[in-house]
Structures are given as structure tokens and as C-alpha cells.
Amino acid sequence: MKNYTSINDIDNINSWIEEAKKIKANPLANKGLGKDKTLGLLFFNSSLRTRLSTQKAALNLGMNPIVMNVSGDAWGIEFGDGTVMNGNTAEHIKEAAAVVSQYCDIIAVRAFPSLTDKEKDESEHVLKSFVKFASVPIVSMESATGHPLQGLTDAITISENTTKKKPRVVLSWAPHIKTLPHAVGNSFVEAMQKMDVDFVITNPEGYNLSPEITKNTPIFHNQSAAFRNADFVYTKNWSSYDDYGKILKVDKDWMITKDKIGDAKFMHCLPVRRNVVVEDAVLNSDSSLVIEQANNRTFAAQLVLKKILESL
Amino acid sequence: MKNYTSINDIDNINSWIEEAKKIKANPLANKGLGKDKTLGLLFFNSSLRTRLSTQKAALNLGMNPIVMNVSGDAWGIEFGDGTVMNGNTAEHIKEAAAVVSQYCDIIAVRAFPSLTDKEKDESEHVLKSFVKFASVPIVSMESATGHPLQGLTDAITISENTTKKKPRVVLSWAPHIKTLPHAVGNSFVEAMQKMDVDFVITNPEGYNLSPEITKNTPIFHNQSAAFRNADFVYTKNWSSYDDYGKILKVDKDWMITKDKIGDAKFMHCLPVRRNVVVEDAVLNSDSSLVIEQANNRTFAAQLVLKKILESL
Amino acid sequence: MKNYTSINDIDNINSWIEEAKKIKANPLANKGLGKDKTLGLLFFNSSLRTRLSTQKAALNLGMNPIVMNVSGDAWGIEFGDGTVMNGNTAEHIKEAAAVVSQYCDIIAVRAFPSLTDKEKDESEHVLKSFVKFASVPIVSMESATGHPLQGLTDAITISENTTKKKPRVVLSWAPHIKTLPHAVGNSFVEAMQKMDVDFVITNPEGYNLSPEITKNTPIFHNQSAAFRNADFVYTKNWSSYDDYGKILKVDKDWMITKDKIGDAKFMHCLPVRRNVVVEDAVLNSDSSLVIEQANNRTFAAQLVLKKILESL
């Protein structure tokens, strides 16, 4: 595998899940694989789980992680082609990506969308520029339109926790006060579409994700209908896709409660705003898988890094 | 030992000091102990000595340190119970602490007090929330009311440098232009109360530390009387405890000078404002132990980490 | 070697270049040399290449790098002698340098000039204070007046890429919208003066570098005359030295173009503003050595660290 920038880079999700479980059972088994190899972690945005779990994964493989907060530690980066750089950006991605490739055997990048310019966000200009101009493999630690390490994590977590051959999995939109990206929702949809699950999405009208992502997945605008017989309720807020980046007027009834989801397992990528997205009673209950999801972030990242290291 | 959050976690200060001296004599003797173990260092506030010495201690034990500036690198953390999180905080400590526990074998935390809300500060809500919600041991790198790695360091340094069986140790308040916490003073008091020293405190009226900390330790409001026959003068500014977090009008005569302390050894946790807290002549003299204290920070941290690693 | 703070610390540039080439051919050959040794990297300013390449060099030698952004992570540092520290600085360099020396076997420092106070900048008060007050070796990662790791890198890169016994090397000033330091220019001049090259400088009137640096090196105010028969064109902007730190009115004709430099190799330390300093056509061509320079930063740093480690 060269790069890991999308759930579509997973050739066989079931075999990936099985391999991730083996890594989880014995995380240090491949500690020689990354010896004297460096992972550069470049953050254009904040990160807690991704920052720590990806470093941990690298350490488990014997790699040396080097972390950089691009904005604070270095220079403003220019992505435009042919730009006369007499503004705020001091280094072009052509140089930046090529230069970092001199020091790192793999580069992991986090770059959130603007949520103001749909076309630019969907072009994935930051992530794709790294892929284009770096000479080493690129791993997405969440880009404008996807969070494939999270999506892989979620697939692993559902596989570990299901008691049925084909569980019913519901992705539910929930309220939030900030304008949030579609990346986690998108990658979760793509991951579920690859798995043998009964998968539906529920969100208010106006909040449908991109039809190029959702494809034939059923979308319910009635949350309680969607939750019927749910085994897993995956929750996430996102801003409107159609009215791009907007928070539409929507009542707070979409918050996830214990009453609504019953015995279904609750999942969320975190961070989560308590009593806005989901009530305390759900997060504090045994039905919540959020901490196990966080734990599995390490093994998803470790699987991806392992596959890349093996093909270097 | 599970956590190290207070000088009161030291069961026998003399045996700890002896063990720290052994570590200092041979810092790499236990390099296998921390193999494949990760120390997460979470900073809610600035740090120089603590940041470097705790990493160095971890490296000496073979651990992998991972550093995070919580405010800059990640999300605002909510500590309230039952809060509807529709404000500036994006992640609850319940999740944050449990999540970081998935990646780190030990978590070290620095979180300063507000110095505006005495009750909240004394509740140690940040540190205690980590203890409560993390599933791994917690080490304080300075909390609202204590700096136990510093207090242990200071005990080691006094033990190394005393020429008497029972030296006279004076903790002296000194002037400062900023509102400073009581943490270092508190932990020093608690450490001295456990040692076989002749210990007194001197500070202006209105600047007494919490009586629950000072207990029966004599407090002099006359600095020169306190300094008589002193072997060690430990200096630190703190804001008023009674008039909580206030800087009271006090003349500059409390600055430490060579004239005042004579041949007594001078100690300070650093950083120190020269010619405000203490004059150059003292810091530049052989009587100053401040650099040796900084050095001993490594071995105090290493002792604490060693004890925790041994009980994992 | 004790410290590396200037190109003048290179005793024999040809033997250094040869040793750097050997390191580049086998970067892990000396991985035992830095075992259990710590490199502290202290940044007072932004950094990408230096940050990553110096860490990579340390890792190649088996060292543990610890990175600190001094301004953001710690306290304001005071450099004045005898200052009454009742202002914004909280820690004196006397303590800071001595303290960091307790945790690090080598300290690398980046501290840019003010470009407003020539005398202060030329005194190199930050770098020299570290040299004076630290008890361990100091490496400059760019100071007010020099960038000796870059200068060494450039010497290596020219040696690798020349096809002639004595190539013609031209250092050319180029336009920029920001007030930039003289450090890279200075160290390049000093490095070239030590090599067997035909070296000239070209810059507009008013932009001559310090005569104490340029000495007898010819300076052309006519760029095209300087470029005649050039084998290497090294480009860098700097603000005026005579009218210290000012950007003088100068037309944009000084931008480097393919037309101007023909087949000469193009060099720049990066970051570079495209189509301001140099046009795309040059950077995108095979004549550009900028990425190879970035790569050689690792081996220059590794050579310096190796020499220091060998003499510890």
C-alpha cells in the first residue's frame, strides 16, 4: 500500500479487521518493522486522540514519531499553482512536502476543511498536494472530506462488539453549536457500505450527506423509525452539505438519549459535547463504546502503518 | 504506589531520599523497567524544568514520553458534572482522561489554580478528575495546591547538602510582581514536616499559608529573626491565602540578600526574578543550590515513575 | 569540538565535507554514539527544516531529541546583566541555560535577530549567553548573524554537484516583502571563502552585507554581469545592513529567472516565496538543488553532533 487517504484504500475490510484484532492482541509483535524509520505527524488543526494514538501506533512498531503543529511551529503554506507569493504564505507545498519527505519515511497529515468553499474542500487540495509532492507515503489523520483512520476504527469496534451476523447499524446526526465537518460521517458511511451490516442513516431534512458518499444507503428523516431494532447507534454532528457549512434551524430533539436507543450500543468518535449531542445517561452506561473506539484508534493506525512499512 | 499527587503519598521520606540518591548515582540502572511503556505529559500551563526533567526521567527508565500542551494542541476540557456543554469546552474530562489512558501507561498533569476561586482551587478539581476518570496512574507536575515533585526534590537537595544532623531550614516569602500560587510553598512545608529538620516559615502579615498545611510549624513575621542560625533559606513568593489570590501592599525589604542570609544555603524552585525575589549576589554565589535543585528534579521524577512502574 | 556556533568553528572544510558524505552514505553507522544522550532543541522562532533535520540527525546517532518552543512552552527569558526583573521576563538566561544543561547533553538553539538594534544583534547576546551559561555544548540552529548548519549544508551540496575543480559560485540577493535577516547570507559567504571556488556576491546598492563578513569577496551591483559563467546561483533575500533592517526601494528585476541563470544550478535555503524570489520555472527544473540541500541538512547536523559527541 502506498498511501492511506480514504476508506477506499481498504482492499478487503474483513481481512483488515482480522489483522487489526491480531495486532491488538499482540501490539508489540512487529516492533522490528519500523526500526530507524520516522513518522512525521503534521497537524494543521487540533488533535488529541489522533495525535496520541498515531504516535503510540508508531512506537509499537518501533518507529520514531516526530510531531509538528504546522501553523504554530513553522510557516504558512501556499497551495496555489503559479501563485506570486507576496502574501501571508511563506512556503509552497511543492517544497514543504518534498522537504519533509527527506526526513520522514511516512508523513501523516491532518487538515480540516474551510466549510465555506465546497469545491475547494471537495478537491482535497491539502491532502492531495501532499500525495502529489511528497516522495513518501501519506496517511490522512482527517482531511476535508474523510477520516479514514476513524472509519477503520469504527469497523473494528463494531466487529468486536456485535453479537449478530448482520447487525443493524444506524448513523444518526445530532445537534451541535459549532459548524462541524462531514469527514467522520463520510468515512463511517463508506466503511459500513463495505461491511455486512444492515446500515441506515438518519438526519433532519437539509442535513443529507453528499449523495456521492451515501449512494444507496437509506436515509430516514424520522430518527425514531431509524432507531427501531438498532444494534449500534453511531452519532455525529455535521453542518449542512447542501447549504454548505451552514447550521440550519433544527430542534434539540435529535439529541441521543437512553430512552431513544434502548439497549443499542452507542458510538461516537469524540470529542463529544455532553447533554448537547448525547445525554450523560448514555455515555455513562455500559452501552457506550466510545472509550473502546478510542483504544482501537491505536490499532487501526498501527495496521495502516504496518501495511505501508511492509511495502516500503 | 498508584498515584503521586501530594507529598502525603510519600510513605517514608528518608528511604525515598536514599533511593533517589542511588538513582542519581546510576541513573540508567533501571532502563529496562519502562521498556515499551508510555508516559503522557499533559500541560495546561507553561513549563521548562518540569517538562524537560520529567521527560529525561522517563527516558532514563526506558519509557517513551509523549508531550501535549492541552490548550494549544487539543480541545477545551469540561470538568463540571452534568454540564450542558454548549459553551467553550468541547470535551469532558470523563472522556479525555479515559481516552488518554488508552495510550499512556502513566499520565502526568500540570494544572495551575485560578487564584480567584479558593474553594474550586482547593477542591483540586482538575487533578482529582484525572485521578477519578483515568484508568492509569496519575502524577502531579504541579496542581492548584501542591508541587510534590518539587517538594521531593527539595528534600533530596537538603539531605545532600546538610552538614548537620538537624539543620535549621527557613521558608521565606519574597516579593514578586505577579499573582503566584501556593503550590510550591505548600509542598515544601509538607516535605519539611516529614524530615528531621528545625523548620520555620517567615512571611509578612497577611501572607500566612493555609493553616491546614502549616499546622504547628512556627511562622515569623520578622524575617531577620527567622534567618538567625539558618542553614537553608528556601525562598518563594506566593499571593495572599487569606485574602485569596491578592497581592497585598508590602515593602521590598523582603527581597533575599547576601547580607541577610550570610552563609546559609539559598534554595528556590525557579524560575526566579533576579533582584526582585533575590539579589544577584546570592544567586551568583556558591551558597546557591538552585541549579542542583533543578538537576535533582530528574531524580525525584525518576524515583516516582520507578515506584509506579514497579507496581503496574 | 565544544560548540558549533559559526562557520569559523570548521577547522578544515574539505575534510568535513568528506566526512559528511560518508555519513550520508551510511547514516546509521554511528547509532551507538548518542545512546542515552539527550539533545535539547530550543526554538525562540519558527522552524521546519531545522526542526526536523536536526531531530532526524540526532535519531540517526541514537540520541533522544527533546524539542521546546521557548516562547510558547515556557517563560520569557531575560538576557540583561544586573536587571531588576520586574517586567515581562520571568527567568534569567543564567538559570535557564544552566538548568537545561542538567537535562541535555547538547543544546541546540534558534534565536533570530531583532533587525532593529544592530549592535545588540551583532553581539549575539542570546547565542553567546547560552555558550557562557550552559555547561554543555551549544549548537546554533540559526542565530542573529549566522546559520552555520545551513552554510555547512551548502558547502556539502556544492561539493556533491560540481563538475569542475573550481566552480563559479554566485550569491545573489533577491526581492522579498518581509524584513529578513543576514544570517544565511553571512554563513554562505563564510563557507565559500573557505572552499576552492570562484565566489562573487551580487546585490543592489545599499544591500551589501557586513564588510567584516564579505572581506575581499567581489560584490557586483550588476546581477547579469555576476551571473556570467556561473555554475551555482545561491539566492537569498536580506534586508539592508547599512540602513539596518530596512527594505530599500528596489525594482523587482532582481527575481531569479531561468533566462538569467541558464544552466547554472539554483540553490536556496528555503522557505522560498515562489514568483517573488524566484520564478516557478527555475524551482520546477532539474537545475534546482533546493530539495537536495534540505536533505543535506540532516547530514550537516549529524556531522556536527557526531564531532561534539566524540569529544564529550
Side-chain angles (χ1 to χ4, degrees), chain A residues 173-176 178 180 182 201-210 214 219 221 237-243 245-250 254:
Chain A
W173 182 95
H176 202 284
K178 299 259 179 183
L180 294 195
H182 312 94
I201 303 171
T202 180
N203 54 250
E205 286 189 41
Y207 276 105
N208 283 11
L209 290 168
S210 162
T214 55
I219 299 175
H221 296 315
N237 170 272
W238 54 83
S239 52
S240 177
Y241 175 80
D242 287 336
D243 194 359
K246 292 291 181 302
I247 300 183
L248 312 178
K249 190 172 157 26
V250 79
W254 282 79

Short mmCIF file of all heavy atoms in Angstrom, two decimals, chain A residues 173-176 178 180 182 201-210 214 219 221 237-243 245-250 254:
data_model
loop_
_atom_site.label_atom_id
_atom_site.label_comp_id
_atom_site.label_asym_id
_atom_site.label_seq_id
_atom_site.Cartn_x
_atom_site.Cartn_y
_atom_site.Cartn_z
N TRP A 173 -27.32 11.79 12.88
CA TRP A 173 -26.94 13.18 13.10
C TRP A 173 -27.41 13.57 14.50
O TRP A 173 -28.39 13.05 15.02
CB TRP A 173 -27.65 14.04 12.04
CG TRP A 173 -27.33 15.51 12.08
CD1 TRP A 173 -26.39 16.15 11.35
CD2 TRP A 173 -27.99 16.50 12.86
NE1 TRP A 173 -26.40 17.49 11.64
CE2 TRP A 173 -27.37 17.74 12.57
CE3 TRP A 173 -29.02 16.47 13.80
CZ2 TRP A 173 -27.75 18.94 13.17
CZ3 TRP A 173 -29.41 17.66 14.40
CH2 TRP A 173 -28.78 18.87 14.08
N ALA A 174 -26.70 14.49 15.15
CA ALA A 174 -27.15 15.02 16.45
C ALA A 174 -26.80 16.50 16.50
O ALA A 174 -25.93 16.97 15.76
CB ALA A 174 -26.47 14.26 17.59
N PRO A 175 -27.43 17.27 17.40
CA PRO A 175 -27.23 18.73 17.41
C PRO A 175 -25.85 19.13 17.92
O PRO A 175 -25.20 18.38 18.66
CB PRO A 175 -28.31 19.23 18.37
CG PRO A 175 -29.24 18.09 18.60
CD PRO A 175 -28.45 16.84 18.37
N HIS A 176 -25.42 20.32 17.58
CA HIS A 176 -24.12 20.86 18.00
C HIS A 176 -24.17 22.36 17.79
O HIS A 176 -24.93 22.84 16.96
CB HIS A 176 -23.01 20.23 17.14
CG HIS A 176 -21.66 20.28 17.78
ND1 HIS A 176 -20.90 21.41 17.84
CD2 HIS A 176 -20.94 19.31 18.38
CE1 HIS A 176 -19.75 21.13 18.46
NE2 HIS A 176 -19.75 19.87 18.80
N LYS A 178 -21.46 24.22 16.99
CA LYS A 178 -20.41 24.69 16.08
C LYS A 178 -20.62 24.09 14.69
O LYS A 178 -21.27 23.06 14.53
CB LYS A 178 -19.04 24.25 16.60
CG LYS A 178 -18.69 24.80 17.96
CD LYS A 178 -17.75 25.98 17.85
CE LYS A 178 -17.45 26.52 19.25
NZ LYS A 178 -16.61 27.70 19.22
N LEU A 180 -19.47 21.91 12.05
CA LEU A 180 -18.55 20.77 12.01
C LEU A 180 -18.48 20.15 10.61
O LEU A 180 -19.42 20.21 9.83
CB LEU A 180 -18.99 19.70 13.01
CG LEU A 180 -18.92 20.07 14.50
CD1 LEU A 180 -19.03 18.82 15.35
CD2 LEU A 180 -17.64 20.81 14.85
N HIS A 182 -17.89 17.09 7.61
CA HIS A 182 -18.60 15.86 7.24
C HIS A 182 -17.68 14.65 7.27
O HIS A 182 -18.12 13.52 7.01
CB HIS A 182 -19.20 16.02 5.84
CG HIS A 182 -19.95 17.29 5.66
ND1 HIS A 182 -19.38 18.43 5.16
CD2 HIS A 182 -21.22 17.64 5.99
CE1 HIS A 182 -20.26 19.42 5.16
NE2 HIS A 182 -21.38 18.97 5.66
N ILE A 201 -28.99 5.63 7.63
CA ILE A 201 -28.59 6.95 8.14
C ILE A 201 -29.85 7.69 8.54
O ILE A 201 -30.88 7.57 7.87
CB ILE A 201 -27.86 7.77 7.04
CG1 ILE A 201 -26.64 7.01 6.52
CG2 ILE A 201 -27.44 9.14 7.59
CD1 ILE A 201 -26.01 7.66 5.28
N THR A 202 -29.77 8.45 9.64
CA THR A 202 -30.90 9.33 9.97
C THR A 202 -30.39 10.73 10.28
O THR A 202 -29.42 10.90 11.02
CB THR A 202 -31.75 8.76 11.13
OG1 THR A 202 -32.83 9.66 11.39
CG2 THR A 202 -30.94 8.58 12.40
N ASN A 203 -31.03 11.70 9.64
CA ASN A 203 -30.66 13.10 9.88
C ASN A 203 -31.85 13.97 9.52
O ASN A 203 -32.73 13.55 8.75
CB ASN A 203 -29.42 13.49 9.07
CG ASN A 203 -29.52 13.22 7.59
OD1 ASN A 203 -28.84 12.32 7.07
ND2 ASN A 203 -30.36 13.96 6.88
N PRO A 204 -31.90 15.19 10.05
CA PRO A 204 -33.00 16.09 9.70
C PRO A 204 -32.94 16.43 8.21
O PRO A 204 -31.87 16.33 7.58
CB PRO A 204 -32.74 17.35 10.54
CG PRO A 204 -31.80 16.92 11.62
CD PRO A 204 -30.99 15.81 11.04
N GLU A 205 -34.06 16.88 7.70
CA GLU A 205 -34.05 17.36 6.32
C GLU A 205 -33.06 18.51 6.19
O GLU A 205 -32.89 19.32 7.09
CB GLU A 205 -35.45 17.84 5.92
CG GLU A 205 -36.40 16.66 5.70
CD GLU A 205 -37.72 17.10 5.10
OE1 GLU A 205 -37.71 17.98 4.20
OE2 GLU A 205 -38.76 16.56 5.54
N GLY A 206 -32.37 18.55 5.07
CA GLY A 206 -31.36 19.59 4.83
C GLY A 206 -29.98 19.17 5.28
O GLY A 206 -28.99 19.86 5.01
N TYR A 207 -29.92 18.04 5.97
CA TYR A 207 -28.63 17.58 6.51
C TYR A 207 -28.11 16.31 5.83
O TYR A 207 -27.21 15.66 6.35
CB TYR A 207 -28.72 17.36 8.02
CG TYR A 207 -28.50 18.63 8.82
CD1 TYR A 207 -29.56 19.28 9.44
CD2 TYR A 207 -27.22 19.16 8.97
CE1 TYR A 207 -29.37 20.45 10.17
CE2 TYR A 207 -27.01 20.32 9.70
CZ TYR A 207 -28.08 20.95 10.30
OH TYR A 207 -27.87 22.10 11.03
N ASN A 208 -28.70 15.96 4.69
CA ASN A 208 -28.16 14.78 3.98
C ASN A 208 -26.68 14.98 3.64
O ASN A 208 -26.28 16.06 3.21
CB ASN A 208 -28.93 14.56 2.67
CG ASN A 208 -30.29 13.93 2.91
OD1 ASN A 208 -30.74 13.84 4.06
ND2 ASN A 208 -30.95 13.50 1.84
N LEU A 209 -25.91 13.95 3.84
CA LEU A 209 -24.51 13.97 3.40
C LEU A 209 -24.47 13.93 1.88
O LEU A 209 -25.50 13.70 1.22
CB LEU A 209 -23.76 12.77 3.99
CG LEU A 209 -23.53 12.81 5.50
CD1 LEU A 209 -23.06 11.45 6.02
CD2 LEU A 209 -22.49 13.88 5.88
N SER A 210 -23.29 14.09 1.32
CA SER A 210 -23.13 14.07 -0.13
C SER A 210 -23.71 12.78 -0.71
O SER A 210 -23.37 11.68 -0.27
CB SER A 210 -21.65 14.16 -0.47
OG SER A 210 -21.44 13.75 -1.81
N THR A 214 -23.29 8.74 0.18
CA THR A 214 -24.36 7.90 0.74
C THR A 214 -24.88 6.88 -0.27
O THR A 214 -25.37 5.82 0.11
CB THR A 214 -25.53 8.78 1.23
OG1 THR A 214 -25.97 9.62 0.17
CG2 THR A 214 -25.08 9.65 2.39
N ILE A 219 -31.83 6.79 3.88
CA ILE A 219 -31.75 7.95 4.78
C ILE A 219 -33.13 8.22 5.36
O ILE A 219 -34.10 8.42 4.61
CB ILE A 219 -31.25 9.20 4.03
CG1 ILE A 219 -29.84 8.95 3.48
CG2 ILE A 219 -31.25 10.42 4.97
CD1 ILE A 219 -29.30 10.08 2.61
N HIS A 221 -35.53 10.62 7.76
CA HIS A 221 -35.63 11.90 8.46
C HIS A 221 -36.39 11.75 9.77
O HIS A 221 -36.52 12.70 10.53
CB HIS A 221 -36.28 12.95 7.55
CG HIS A 221 -35.46 13.25 6.34
ND1 HIS A 221 -34.10 13.45 6.40
CD2 HIS A 221 -35.79 13.34 5.01
CE1 HIS A 221 -33.62 13.67 5.19
NE2 HIS A 221 -34.61 13.60 4.33
N ASN A 237 -22.43 14.97 14.76
CA ASN A 237 -22.97 16.17 14.14
C ASN A 237 -22.18 16.50 12.88
O ASN A 237 -20.98 16.22 12.80
CB ASN A 237 -22.89 17.36 15.09
CG ASN A 237 -23.23 18.65 14.38
OD1 ASN A 237 -22.35 19.30 13.80
ND2 ASN A 237 -24.50 19.00 14.35
N TRP A 238 -22.89 17.07 11.92
CA TRP A 238 -22.20 17.71 10.80
C TRP A 238 -23.06 18.88 10.35
O TRP A 238 -24.27 18.90 10.58
CB TRP A 238 -21.93 16.73 9.65
CG TRP A 238 -23.13 15.99 9.13
CD1 TRP A 238 -24.04 16.42 8.22
CD2 TRP A 238 -23.54 14.66 9.50
NE1 TRP A 238 -24.99 15.45 7.99
CE2 TRP A 238 -24.71 14.35 8.75
CE3 TRP A 238 -23.03 13.68 10.36
CZ2 TRP A 238 -25.38 13.13 8.87
CZ3 TRP A 238 -23.70 12.46 10.48
CH2 TRP A 238 -24.86 12.20 9.75
N SER A 239 -22.41 19.87 9.74
CA SER A 239 -23.14 21.02 9.21
C SER A 239 -23.81 20.60 7.90
O SER A 239 -23.54 19.52 7.36
CB SER A 239 -22.18 22.19 8.97
OG SER A 239 -21.09 21.77 8.19
N SER A 240 -24.65 21.45 7.38
CA SER A 240 -25.37 21.10 6.15
C SER A 240 -24.38 20.92 5.00
O SER A 240 -23.39 21.66 4.88
CB SER A 240 -26.37 22.20 5.80
OG SER A 240 -27.01 21.88 4.58
N TYR A 241 -24.66 19.90 4.17
CA TYR A 241 -23.86 19.72 2.97
C TYR A 241 -24.47 20.50 1.80
O TYR A 241 -23.76 21.17 1.06
CB TYR A 241 -23.75 18.23 2.63
CG TYR A 241 -23.02 17.98 1.33
CD1 TYR A 241 -21.62 18.01 1.29
CD2 TYR A 241 -23.70 17.72 0.14
CE1 TYR A 241 -20.94 17.80 0.10
CE2 TYR A 241 -23.02 17.52 -1.04
CZ TYR A 241 -21.64 17.56 -1.06
OH TYR A 241 -20.96 17.36 -2.23
N ASP A 242 -25.80 20.44 1.70
CA ASP A 242 -26.46 21.14 0.58
C ASP A 242 -26.28 22.65 0.72
O ASP A 242 -25.89 23.32 -0.23
CB ASP A 242 -27.95 20.78 0.54
CG ASP A 242 -28.15 19.35 0.03
OD1 ASP A 242 -27.26 18.85 -0.69
OD2 ASP A 242 -29.18 18.74 0.37
N ASP A 243 -26.63 23.15 1.90
CA ASP A 243 -26.43 24.58 2.18
C ASP A 243 -25.08 24.65 2.90
O ASP A 243 -24.99 24.81 4.11
CB ASP A 243 -27.58 25.08 3.06
CG ASP A 243 -27.63 26.60 3.11
OD1 ASP A 243 -26.76 27.25 2.48
OD2 ASP A 243 -28.53 27.12 3.78
N GLY A 245 -21.92 24.08 4.85
CA GLY A 245 -21.28 24.62 6.05
C GLY A 245 -22.22 25.41 6.95
O GLY A 245 -21.77 26.04 7.91
N LYS A 246 -23.52 25.37 6.67
CA LYS A 246 -24.47 26.13 7.48
C LYS A 246 -25.05 25.26 8.61
O LYS A 246 -25.16 24.05 8.47
CB LYS A 246 -25.63 26.64 6.61
CG LYS A 246 -25.22 27.71 5.60
CD LYS A 246 -24.86 29.02 6.30
CE LYS A 246 -24.48 30.10 5.28
NZ LYS A 246 -23.34 29.72 4.39
N ILE A 247 -25.39 25.92 9.72
CA ILE A 247 -26.16 25.26 10.76
C ILE A 247 -27.62 25.66 10.55
O ILE A 247 -27.97 26.83 10.69
CB ILE A 247 -25.68 25.69 12.17
CG1 ILE A 247 -24.20 25.32 12.36
CG2 ILE A 247 -26.53 25.02 13.25
CD1 ILE A 247 -23.65 25.65 13.73
N LEU A 248 -28.45 24.71 10.17
CA LEU A 248 -29.85 25.00 9.88
C LEU A 248 -30.62 24.98 11.19
O LEU A 248 -30.22 24.34 12.17
CB LEU A 248 -30.43 23.95 8.93
CG LEU A 248 -29.58 23.63 7.70
CD1 LEU A 248 -30.23 22.53 6.87
CD2 LEU A 248 -29.40 24.90 6.85
N LYS A 249 -31.73 25.66 11.20
CA LYS A 249 -32.59 25.64 12.39
C LYS A 249 -33.11 24.22 12.58
O LYS A 249 -33.73 23.65 11.70
CB LYS A 249 -33.76 26.62 12.19
CG LYS A 249 -34.56 26.84 13.44
CD LYS A 249 -35.58 27.95 13.24
CE LYS A 249 -36.74 27.84 14.22
NZ LYS A 249 -36.43 27.15 15.47
N VAL A 250 -32.86 23.66 13.72
CA VAL A 250 -33.32 22.29 13.96
C VAL A 250 -33.58 22.16 15.45
O VAL A 250 -32.84 22.70 16.27
CB VAL A 250 -32.28 21.28 13.46
CG1 VAL A 250 -31.14 21.10 14.43
CG2 VAL A 250 -32.94 19.94 13.20
N TRP A 254 -33.11 16.00 18.49
CA TRP A 254 -32.22 15.00 17.89
C TRP A 254 -31.11 14.53 18.83
O TRP A 254 -30.34 13.63 18.49
CB TRP A 254 -31.63 15.55 16.59
CG TRP A 254 -32.62 15.47 15.45
CD1 TRP A 254 -33.66 16.29 15.20
CD2 TRP A 254 -32.66 14.45 14.44
NE1 TRP A 254 -34.36 15.88 14.09
CE2 TRP A 254 -33.76 14.75 13.59
CE3 TRP A 254 -31.88 13.33 14.15
CZ2 TRP A 254 -34.08 13.95 12.48
CZ3 TRP A 254 -32.20 12.55 13.04
CH2 TRP A 254 -33.30 12.87 12.23
#
